């Protein structure tokens, strides 16, 4: 079977002043549908950059990324936006909730951006929030929530469009261990019950162990790939 | 310590060149707005002044006659003899037409002076040829006028004189220094005797300019002159031919200072915004330095130092660009408006004052703006400083709305109170108090609307699309920065208040004028020597009238004389009509007086009629007694009626011409109202008059339609000048809206990137900015046009108190529609720039936490 996500020799360079930083340097990875992949590495090794590229948030400097068979470099900005909205659910380390919106509105953002505001869409968002345990805080603003609660809203948001691929950048990094475990459990549930593909960045070995496979980056290069037993 | 400063600021400036450049750009923009407005205001003021003043040179006092026909030349010696008078320089002045190939070219103001002494009082800066010698038809023109009309030294020009068209030799040209600046350069000097012939002023003088001996005070000499000469003379300081000029400029000056202050505020607001961002952006580094143990005071010092550097650079560039912008704006407008077509380009430069102000305003405003956010930042703990602050609409709603409503109601009540006729008002206000009261009322209205705006905006956006994400995001943002939002709206609102209220006045005055013409102008043609109006001094004679009546097709020719007389120490326009013939084709448009008896009373010569303006200025009513100065003393008249009139100056007194001729000893004629016999057309009679009695006279024959059109275009022109200022205000407000939007894009970088990461297309993001701009434009224009209409009505209605003219309010609907369209259109157009910035910025940069 063809892989759902394929990276071929991907590189990403940043120029800062006169310095050139190679954040990614010839990365090739395949991720199959329904797979849970953990990405590890020291701070600054290029994990976030990798996730941003897979998530169509940025374009690579060299190499090619295929998402469900489409070469990202050939797509227009609008097509990339549509992919992000319809196919990908992104969970950020810093949650990135919009401060003026309620939990419900935050979770419903992707559906709203897609112009879907029918009853069944709203119903689904409500279900998602209930599923992450936020069903009783629909009208709370982010400032009224704890870190763990914010992360759950962010997860509900990522799941609201029932995306094929879920990308999570250190989703437990800002949470205590209990909350962290709950978050990881939800991700595992997504994989097992709905067959969603999950790529998660973490530098916590215990968290990484939830994955089927652990890829380790160093200085922008893949240095190790471990299959979980 | 300097090295820490280097770390903090200099490195920031060096490494984040883009951000530093954006801050400098913001400051530059602010200074450009301030400087350009200051320069344009100065130059329009100068041009306006130039249009209405005449050059008095070094004269410290001027002696003017109380009658238009001037005074006897023997008084020049009397004046010279008064203690403290050093020199007395007589002038005979008037306006004439320049004619070329039988066509009118332009109007020139002529100064007839004593060529042997006049250069002691006035500066004639000869650029070509020589000054006039005594006698003979020689003139000196301004080089500006000469080059406009292709006239060179030693050429001849043809001018209209009382004896018909005559040729004059141009002996020299003067620059626009000194006297050459008079009347916007439409000015020529000739010998006083020649001018007397031109204007039939044998043995008379129109004005004497006086210089004083050292050590004498103006006031003292003025008093001696007044007591020596008596009441038929007016002694003034030259600048204040003075009061007339000041009066006509007061309103305009007020307008200019209003736009000046708006632009100053917007400029400072722009600088403040940018500086605030530049500091906010470094919340993190500031927190780090605090954590590393740097004292608050030092951090504040760094921030101020940096603001001073960026502000100075921005200020310098802004001053230069602002001067350039002012020039092109004024030139562009000069092409559009004839009222301003002699914008004085020498006044468009940077004065040291404006230069230094602009230069200082940059760093000063930047430092003031930086201090607030920097102080806020160093006050919180380093940890707190790392979390961005979020504010929302807040809870102030109820109270704010109540207060806003209260201000609106009080402000409206104040303006309405001003429109009551005088007799209903309990307290009598002076004109200044009246204006202050009006400005106060307007201020309350503006303040009230500013308070109500956020609520109105919210209601508007909620209604538009409660569940749509784009309006929702726009709404949230406008609410979060409601201070900045209100400021942006208020700028547009004030500009549109001015636009609509000006239009209301212009419309109502235009309507009034049209009605007045239809009611009061019963003639078919107006025959005069050349251009007709208060400025023209080339007269006709009674002989001409007899010939005119003999022309086939002419039924009535009513003799007209327009002059001035002195009443109670001030000058009033005197219109002497032959009432016997006048009432055969015309009626007075009455405001007060017994309609049935007016004709008979006016013909008797014992009565005068006064215009509404004169009635107001001199507190006159029908039945009052009015004493006018004549060359031989005083004459008493009864007021038969108050008549509606055009113009808002001291107004007009109407008198029977035979009476005027007898008492003032003046038989000159300014023109004839002509009524045609049935069956004759205006064209054929006009042609006959030209052919049979017009030779060498260069007559101006204006038809009823011509006259109406001419007057209407004068009305339009007087409002056009204000329009220039209003459009500057609109421009400034638009810049303010754009800048606010740019800032908000920067502040929302994370949110915008999050939206994009969740799959928002670029267009969706830029539509948020568009929606915000439209909401701002719409709210500003709705409040602005509503208040503008109200203010317009108040101004029109208060005319009965201020000018004595009772106008009918006309709602300027087309201008209201235009104003709304303009505000919404301009704000949408300028939203393209922040919209693009938002849509194109890197998603990854926005969501990354360092
Ligand atoms: N926008 C950027 N500009 C310059 N350098 C960047 C940018 N984003 C990331 N980098 C650099 O790329 C490298 C990899 O960063 P990142 O992917 O965030 O690492 P990680 O997530 O593994 O900590 C780092 O050295 C980082 O400083
Ligand atoms: Mg990272």
């Amino acid at each position: 079977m063809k892989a759902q996500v394929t990276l071929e020799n991907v590189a990403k360079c940043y120029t800062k002043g006169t310095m050139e930083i190679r954040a990614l340097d010839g990365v090739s990875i395949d991720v199959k549908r329904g797979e849970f992949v953990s990405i590890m590495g020291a701070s600054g090794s290029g994990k976030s950059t990798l996730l941003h590229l897979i998530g169509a948030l940025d374009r690579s400097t060299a190499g090619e990324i295929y998402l469900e068979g489409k070469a990202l470099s050939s797509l227009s900005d609008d097509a990339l936006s549509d992919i992000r909205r319809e196919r990908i659910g992104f969970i950020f380390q810093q949650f990135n909730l919009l401060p003026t919106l309620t939990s419900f509105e935050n979770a419903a953002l992707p559906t709203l951006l897609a112009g879907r505001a029918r009853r069944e869409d709203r119903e689904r968002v409500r279900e998602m929030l209930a599923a992450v345990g936020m069903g009783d805080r629909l009208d709370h603003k982010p400032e009224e929530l704890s870190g763990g609660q914010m992360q759950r809203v962010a997860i509900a948001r990522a799941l609201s469009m029932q995306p094929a691929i879920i990308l999570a950048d250190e989703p437990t990094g800002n949470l205590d261990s209990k909350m962290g475990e709950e978050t990881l459990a939800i991700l595992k549930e997504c994989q097992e019950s709905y067959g969603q593909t999950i790529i998660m960045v973490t530098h916590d070995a215990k968290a990484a162990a939830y994955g089927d496979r652990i890829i380790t980056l160093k200085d922008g290069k893949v240095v190790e790939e471990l299959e979980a037993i | 310590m300097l090295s820490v400063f280097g770390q903090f600021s200099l490195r920031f400036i060096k490494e984040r060149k883009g951000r530093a450049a954006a801050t400098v750009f913001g400051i530059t923009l602010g200074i450009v707005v301030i400087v350009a407005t200051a320069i344009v205001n100065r130059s329009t003021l100068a041009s306006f002044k130039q249009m209405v003043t005449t050059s008095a040179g070094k004269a410290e006092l001027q002696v003017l006659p109380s009658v238009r026909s001037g005074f006897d030349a023997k008084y020049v010696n009397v004046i010279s003899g008064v203690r403290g008078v050093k020199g007395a320089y007589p002038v005979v002045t008037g306006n004439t037409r320049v004619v070329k190939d039988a066509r009118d070219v332009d109007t020139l103001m002529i100064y007839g002076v004593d060529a042997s002494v006049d250069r002691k009082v006035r500066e004639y800066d000869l650029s070509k040829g020589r000054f006039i010698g005594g006698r003979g038809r020689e003139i000196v023109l301004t080089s500006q006028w000469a080059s406009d009309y292709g006239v060179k030294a030693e050429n001849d020009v043809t001018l209209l004189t009382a004896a018909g068209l005559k040729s004059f030799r141009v002996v020299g040209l003067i620059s626009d220094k000194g006297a050459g600046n008079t009347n916007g350069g439409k000015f020529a000097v000739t010998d006083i005797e020649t001018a007397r012939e031109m204007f039939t002023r044998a043995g008379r003088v129109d004005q004497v300019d006086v210089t004083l001996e050292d050590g004498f005070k103006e006031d003292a000499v003025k008093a001696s002159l007044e007591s020596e000469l008596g009441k038929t003379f007016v002694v003034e300081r030259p600048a204040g031919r003075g009061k007339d000029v000041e009066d006509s400029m007061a309103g305009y000056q007020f307008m200019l200072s209003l736009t000046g202050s708006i632009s100053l505020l917007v400029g400072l607001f722009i600088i403040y915004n940018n500086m605030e961002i530049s500091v906010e952006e470094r919340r993190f580094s500031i927190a780090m330095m605090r954590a590393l143990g740097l004292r608050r005071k030092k951090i504040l010092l760094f921030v101020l130092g940096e603001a001073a550097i960026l502000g100075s650079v921005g200020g310098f560039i802004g001053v230069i660009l602002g001067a350039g912008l002012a020039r092109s704006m004024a030139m562009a407008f000069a092409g559009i408006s004839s009222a301003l077509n002699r914008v004085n380009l020498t006044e468009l430069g940077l004065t040291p004052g404006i230069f230094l102000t602009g230069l200082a305003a940059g760093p000063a405003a930047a430092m003031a703006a930086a201090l607030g956010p920097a102080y806020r930042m160093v006050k919180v703990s380093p940890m707190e400083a790392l979390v961005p602050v979020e504010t929302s609409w807040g809870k102030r709603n109820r109270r704010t709305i109540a207060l806003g409503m209260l201000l609106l109601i009080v402000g409206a009540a104040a303006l309405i109170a001003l429109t009551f006729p005088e007799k209903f008002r309990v307290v009598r206000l002076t004109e200044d108090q009246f204006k202050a009261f009006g400005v106060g009322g307007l201020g309350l209205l503006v303040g009230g609307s500013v308070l109500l705006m956020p609520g109105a905006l919210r209601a508007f956006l909620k209604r538009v699309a409660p569940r749509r994400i784009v309006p929702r995001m726009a709404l949230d943002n406008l609410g979060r920065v409601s201070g900045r939002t209100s400021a942006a709206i208020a700028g547009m609102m004030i500009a549109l208040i001015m636009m609509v209220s000006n239009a209301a006045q212009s419309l109502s005055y235009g309507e009034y004028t049209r009605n007045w013409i239809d009611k009061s102008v019963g003639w078919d043609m107006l025959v005069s020597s050349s251009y007709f109006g208060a400025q023209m001094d080339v007269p006709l004679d009674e002989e001409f009238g007899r010939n005119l009546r003999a022309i086939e097709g002419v039924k009535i020719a009513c003799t007209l004389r327009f002059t001035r007389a002195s009443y109670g120490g001030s000058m009033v326009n005197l219109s002497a009509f032959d009432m016997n013939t006048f009432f055969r084709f015309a009626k007075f448009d009455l405001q007060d007086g017994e309609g049935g008896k007016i004709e008979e009373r006016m013909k008797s010569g014992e009565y005068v009629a006064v215009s509404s303006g004169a009635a107001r200025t001199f507190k006159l009513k029908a039945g009052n007694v009015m004493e006018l100065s004549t060359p031989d003393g005083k004459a008493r008249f009864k007021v038969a009626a108050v008549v509606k009139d055009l113009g808002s100056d001291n107004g007009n007194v109407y008198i029977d011409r035979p009476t005027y001729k007898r008492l003032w000893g003046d038989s000159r004629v300014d023109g004839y109202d002509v009524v045609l016999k049935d069956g004759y057309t205006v064209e054929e009679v006009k042609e006959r008059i030209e052919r049979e009695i017009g030779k060498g006279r260069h007559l101006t024959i204006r038809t009823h339609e011509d006259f109406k059109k001419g007057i209407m275009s004068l009305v339009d022109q007087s409002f056009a000048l204000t329009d220039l200022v209003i459009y500057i205000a609109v421009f400034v407000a638009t810049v303010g809206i754009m800048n606010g939007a740019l800032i908000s894009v920067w502040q929302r970088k994370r949110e915008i990137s999050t939206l994009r990461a969740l799959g928002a297309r670029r267009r969706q993001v830029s539509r948020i900015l568009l929606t915000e701009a439209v909401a701002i434009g719409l709210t500003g224009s709705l409040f602005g046009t509503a208040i503008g209409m109200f203010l317009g009505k108040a101004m029109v209605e208060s005319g009965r108190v201020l000018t004595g003219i009772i106008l009918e309010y006309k709602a300027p609907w087309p201008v209201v529609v235009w104003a709304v369209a303009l505000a919404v259109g301009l704000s949408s157009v300028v939203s393209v720039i922040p919209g693009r910035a938002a849509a194109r910025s890197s998603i990854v940069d926005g969501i990354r936490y360092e």
Side-chain angles (χ1 to χ4, degrees):
Chain A
M1 196 182 102
K2 224 179 153 229
Q4 189 173 26
V5 180
T6 302
L7 280 77
E8 273 176 8
N9 233 345
V10 171
K12 177 73 185 175
C13 298
Y14 294 107
T15 42
K16 203 168 188 178
T18 52
M19 257 198 335
E20 186 171 90
I21 300 166
R22 297 199 138 243
L24 288 180
D25 192 0
V27 173
S28 299
I29 299 175
D30 282 319
V31 180
K32 287 196 283 294
R33 188 176 297 278
E35 202 180 0
F36 190 144
V37 176
S38 298
I39 296 176
M40 293 194 68
S43 180
S45 57
K47 305 183 295 293
S48 294
T49 306
L50 180 67
L51 216 59
H52 292 155
L53 290 182
I54 296 173
L57 295 177
D58 207 352
R59 291 177 187 274
S60 60
T61 316
E64 187 58 274
I65 300 170
Y66 297 92
L67 223 76
E68 303 185 312
K70 286 183 200 136
L72 293 188
S73 69
S74 65
L75 297 180
S76 69
D77 190 85
D78 280 350
L80 293 181
S81 300
D82 296 347
I83 286 179
R84 288 197 296 271
R85 196 176 60 241
E86 308 285 338
R87 309 300 305 160
I88 295 172
F90 217 110
I91 300 169
F92 308 93
Q93 180 178 3
Q94 300 289 343
F95 323 135
N96 283 347
L97 297 182
L98 299 196
T100 59
L101 301 184
T102 63
S103 302
F104 175 77
E105 289 165 331
N106 262 300
L109 254 185
T111 42
L112 290 173
L113 287 172
R116 296 187 207 155
R118 282 169 314 197
R119 174 164 304 156
E120 63 258 39
D121 296 308
R122 295 207 299 277
E123 215 35 64
R124 198 182 57 243
V125 171
R126 232 170 251 132
E127 278 165 23
M128 294 293 176
L129 280 164
V132 296
M134 293 295 294
D136 56 346
R137 288 194 168 64
L138 297 182
D139 295 325
H140 286 55
K141 292 272 177 73
E143 59 189 4
E144 299 159 333
L145 300 176
S146 71
Q149 290 170 327
M150 284 198 259
Q151 185 63 300
R152 290 193 226 173
V153 174
I155 292 173
R157 179 176 69 187
L159 302 181
S160 64
M161 295 285 285
Q162 298 170 309
I165 305 165
I166 296 168
L167 305 176
D169 193 352
E170 308 206 24
T172 60
N174 279 331
L175 302 177
D176 61 33
S177 59
K178 186 166 162 282
M179 285 289 179
E181 273 169 35
E182 280 181 30
T183 302
L184 291 167
I186 294 172
L187 289 178
K188 196 74 192 162
E189 167 85 7
C190 288
Q191 181 201 13
E192 288 171 353
S193 305
Y194 303 99
Q196 285 163 307
T197 308
I198 293 168
I199 305 176
M200 177 180 75
V201 165
T202 181
H203 53 236
D204 174 11
K206 249 174 80 187
Y210 277 75
D212 307 319
R213 187 155 50 117
I214 300 174
I215 297 173
T216 307
L217 290 184
K218 191 174 178 227
D219 296 335
K221 291 191 169 78
V222 176
V223 290
E224 194 180 38
E225 276 201 61
L226 279 179
E227 295 288 332
I229 328 116
Chain B
M1 159 149 169
L2 203 70
S3 74
V4 189
F5 179 60
Q7 279 288 92
F8 177 70
S9 292
L10 299 180
R11 222 180 77 189
F12 165 76
I13 294 175
K14 234 169 93 185
E15 281 185 4
R16 306 281 318 267
K17 285 199 192 81
R19 186 60 225 161
T23 308
V24 170
F25 173 76
I27 295 169
T28 304
L29 200 62
I31 301 293
V32 164
V33 167
I34 294 170
V35 167
T37 318
I39 292 178
V40 168
N41 282 2
R42 214 176 72 86
S43 109
T44 41
L45 205 59
S47 325
F48 195 77
K49 224 175 210 159
Q50 213 180 59
M51 288 188 332
V52 289
T53 47
T54 55
S55 169
K58 296 186 201 91
E60 282 143 303
L61 289 173
Q62 269 181 345
V63 179
L64 301 164
S66 61
V67 290
R68 192 77 178 285
S69 50
F71 52 79
D72 199 294
K74 70 178 186 216
Y75 284 107
V76 178
N77 289 329
V78 176
I79 294 167
S80 311
V82 169
R83 233 173 81 79
V85 171
K86 188 173 169 196
Y89 306 92
V91 177
V92 168
T93 180
N95 291 298
T96 184
R97 296 299 282 183
V98 185
V99 179
K100 198 174 175 186
D101 306 328
R103 292 227 326 269
D104 267 5
V105 174
D106 201 358
T107 304
L108 271 184
M109 176 186 262
I110 301 283
Y111 257 43
V113 302
D114 183 342
S116 57
V117 296
D118 206 66
R119 299 185 79 168
K120 285 186 197 158
V121 68
R122 260 172 285 272
E123 186 192 358
Y124 299 99
D125 178 37
L126 278 170
S127 57
K128 282 269 164 53
R130 59 174 173 86
F131 197 59
I132 46 166
R135 298 213 159 235
R137 285 205 287 271
E138 296 182 346
I139 58 167
V140 166
L141 289 169
T142 66
S143 34
Q144 192 190 3
W145 192 91
S147 78
D148 283 356
Y149 291 100
V151 175
K152 296 197 178 67
E154 295 307 317
N155 285 4
D156 287 340
V157 292
T158 307
L159 303 179
L160 185 63
T161 75
L165 295 172
K166 297 285 178 204
S167 176
F168 287 72
R169 170 61 50 96
V170 180
V171 295
L173 301 176
I174 52 175
S175 80
D176 61 3
K177 271 212 315 236
N181 212 7
T182 306
N183 197 35
K186 296 185 177 199
F187 172 72
V189 190
T190 187
D191 176 65
I192 191 165
E193 285 305 328
T194 312
R196 281 175 177 144
E197 285 164 21
M198 281 181 88
F199 303 119
T200 52
R201 293 277 213 284
R204 304 195 66 90
V205 173
D206 289 315
Q207 161 190 332
V208 177
D209 293 326
V210 173
T211 55
L212 305 186
E213 298 277 8
D214 288 347
F216 279 86
K217 289 244 164 61
E218 278 171 26
D219 286 338
V221 180
K222 181 170 183 271
S224 326
L225 279 168
E226 274 165 353
S227 73
E228 187 72 34
L229 292 167
K231 283 218 162 164
T232 49
F233 290 82
V234 179
V235 184
E236 290 181 342
R237 287 192 182 79
R241 171 163 259 188
K243 184 122 175 53
D244 285 0
V245 177
E246 267 163 35
D247 281 353
S248 56
M249 283 186 56
Y252 188 60
Q253 218 151 8
F254 175 71
M255 235 13 208
L256 288 182
S257 58
L258 198 64
T259 44
S261 358
I262 293 177
S263 76
L264 189 70
L265 283 179
V266 170
L268 295 179
F269 169 69
I270 291 172
I271 294 172
Y272 181 87
N273 269 339
N274 281 283
M275 218 45 227
E276 188 182 4
I277 293 300
S278 152
V279 176
E280 280 281 348
E281 193 183 28
R282 267 159 316 146
R283 189 176 269 282
F284 185 79
S285 6
I286 291 176
M288 284 305 285
M289 284 198 290
R290 289 275 325 278
L292 292 176
L294 203 65
R295 294 246 181 108
R296 283 178 182 166
K297 241 193 233 155
K298 280 203 174 144
I299 294 181
L300 286 182
L301 223 63
F302 292 163
V303 173
L304 290 186
E306 181 191 313
I309 294 175
L310 296 178
S312 304
V313 177
F316 184 75
I317 305 174
V319 165
I320 308 288
L321 292 183
L325 179 71
R327 251 188 123 74
S328 36
M329 242 165 30
M331 305 248 247
F333 197 80
I336 301 166
S337 162
S338 53
L340 264 183
N341 63 22
R342 282 208 178 268
V343 172
N344 194 347
L345 289 178
T346 56
E347 300 285 346
L348 272 170
L350 261 179
T351 63
I354 296 178
F355 183 78
L356 291 179
T357 311
L359 220 53
M367 277 155 68
L371 198 57
Y375 188 71
R376 250 184 287 132
M377 232 168 275
V378 296
K379 273 199 72 156
V380 298
S381 75
M383 270 317 290
E384 274 178 85
L386 290 173
V387 185
V389 251
E390 305 292 355
T391 52
S392 60
W393 287 96
K395 297 158 200 85
R396 45 184 210 133
N397 287 326
R398 274 251 164 81
R399 245 192 245 157
T400 310
I401 290 175
L403 184 63
M405 287 288 192
L406 185 72
L407 293 189
L408 274 188
I409 291 167
V410 175
L415 286 185
I416 291 171
L418 288 186
T419 66
F420 288 161
E422 207 141 0
K423 56 186 161 194
F424 295 130
R425 271 189 289 129
V426 193
V427 190
R428 241 159 237 275
L429 301 173
T430 67
E431 203 159 311
D432 284 338
Q433 285 167 341
F434 189 95
K435 281 179 186 154
F437 205 66
V439 171
L442 179 62
L444 289 180
L445 281 181
V446 170
S449 333
V450 168
L451 291 178
L452 289 179
M453 264 168 208
L457 252 183
R458 177 144 72 158
F460 163 70
L461 284 174
K462 276 210 160 151
R463 184 112 332 141
V464 170
R467 282 194 202 285
R468 289 280 175 81
I469 186 66
V470 165
R472 177 61 203 274
M473 295 310 299
L475 164 72
D476 283 347
N477 179 55
L478 292 178
R480 238 177 326 167
V481 292
S482 60
R484 185 185 303 142
T485 307
S486 303
I489 300 177
M492 188 53 87
M493 182 179 83
I494 292 170
L496 297 190
I497 289 175
M498 294 195 287
M499 182 183 286
V500 171
S501 62
N502 190 50
Q505 288 185 84
S506 153
L507 203 64
S508 307
Y509 194 69
E511 182 72 13
Y512 172 88
T513 308
R514 212 165 309 170
N515 281 339
W516 181 86
I517 294 172
D518 289 344
K519 272 199 191 140
S520 314
V521 179
W523 42 262
D524 297 310
M525 299 191 246
L526 183 55
V527 179
S528 59
S529 171
S530 178
Y531 179 82
F532 183 84
Q535 293 265 299
M536 296 304 300
D537 299 297
V538 184
L540 292 166
D541 50 23
E542 293 177 334
E543 170 74 27
F544 179 82
R546 283 191 285 278
N547 295 336
L548 184 61
R549 281 179 200 103
I551 300 276
E552 189 189 341
V554 172
K555 184 175 163 199
I556 305 171
C558 173
T559 322
L560 310 169
R561 172 77 176 126
F562 297 96
T563 178
R564 272 150 78 92
S566 160
Y567 170 67
S570 23
M571 300 299 284
V572 61
N573 294 320
L574 197 61
S575 302
F577 300 164
D578 186 21
M579 293 296 169
N580 262 319
T581 44
F582 181 74
F583 283 115
R584 284 171 62 197
F585 65 89
K587 272 203 301 271
F588 279 148
D589 193 357
L590 283 190
Q591 191 170 306
D592 181 24
E594 286 177 70
K597 295 195 175 147
I598 283 166
E599 290 190 23
E600 183 195 325
R601 285 178 171 171
M602 289 304 293
K603 285 175 196 167
S604 74
E606 286 161 25
Y607 284 82
V608 292
V610 298
S611 72
S612 38
R616 176 193 151 267
T617 310
F618 304 116
K619 309 230 178 317
L620 290 169
K621 281 200 295 255
N624 286 2
V625 171
M626 191 176 192
E627 227 178 35
L628 292 167
S629 300
T630 65
D632 300 326
K634 289 215 156 109
R636 287 164 64 90
F637 301 92
K638 270 181 136 180
V639 176
V642 177
V643 179
K644 290 187 191 168
D645 200 3
L646 298 177
S648 61
D649 50 296
N650 284 356
N652 244 308
V653 174
Y654 301 93
I655 188 171
D656 186 37
R657 190 180 126 84
T659 311
Y660 166 78
K661 193 169 142 186
R662 180 166 46 83
L663 292 173
W664 272 265
D666 173 18
S667 64
R668 282 179 296 169
V669 182
D670 287 298
Y672 292 90
D673 286 344
V674 171
V675 178
L676 302 186
K677 287 182 180 145
D678 287 346
Y680 287 87
T681 68
V682 175
E683 285 70 30
E684 69 182 302
V685 177
K686 185 174 168 181
E687 195 265 335
R688 204 165 283 145
I689 294 172
E690 295 271 19
R691 181 157 39 83
E692 292 178 20
I693 58 173
K695 285 212 186 65
R697 291 257 189 196
H698 196 71
L699 295 175
T700 297
I701 303 178
R702 292 212 280 173
T703 65
H704 190 113
E705 280 312 306
D706 292 342
F707 179 76
K708 195 164 166 175
K709 255 189 239 155
I711 298 260
M712 294 317 294
S713 89
L714 267 179
V715 171
D716 289 345
Q717 256 180 37
S718 64
F719 287 95
L721 204 59
T722 327
D723 268 339
L724 168 67
V725 177
I726 288 168
Y727 279 99
I728 292 176
V730 170
F731 170 78
V732 166
T734 309
V735 170
I737 291 175
M738 180 180 78
N739 186 258
L742 269 173
I743 300 282
S744 86
V745 165
W746 192 86
Q747 280 186 327
R748 276 182 291 169
K749 218 166 139 186
R750 169 167 297 273
E751 288 168 37
I752 289 167
S753 296
T754 303
L755 282 176
R756 292 271 290 140
L758 296 176
R761 289 184 171 200
R762 283 187 170 149
R763 281 187 46 142
Q764 283 176 301
V765 169
S766 52
R767 272 211 331 257
I768 295 176
L769 274 298
L770 177 67
T771 309
E772 285 170 23
V774 169
I776 287 177
L778 202 61
T779 314
S781 58
L782 292 183
F783 275 99
T785 52
I787 297 180
M789 292 233 276
F790 188 73
L791 181 69
K793 183 160 166 61
M795 284 166 107
V796 165
E797 298 285 344
S798 62
R800 77 180 77 222
V801 186
L802 281 181
T803 62
I805 294 180
I806 297 171
L807 302 178
E808 187 100 12
Y809 174 70
K810 285 260 155 196
W813 289 114
V815 176
V816 168
V817 172
W818 164 240
V820 174
L822 188 70
V824 173
L826 282 178
S827 33
S828 326
V829 167
V830 297
S831 85
V832 167
I833 295 166
R836 236 183 110 84
R840 305 248 151 207
S841 73
S842 153
I843 304 173
V844 173
D845 280 351
I847 56 175
R848 182 175 282 277
Y849 261 106
E850 296 298 343

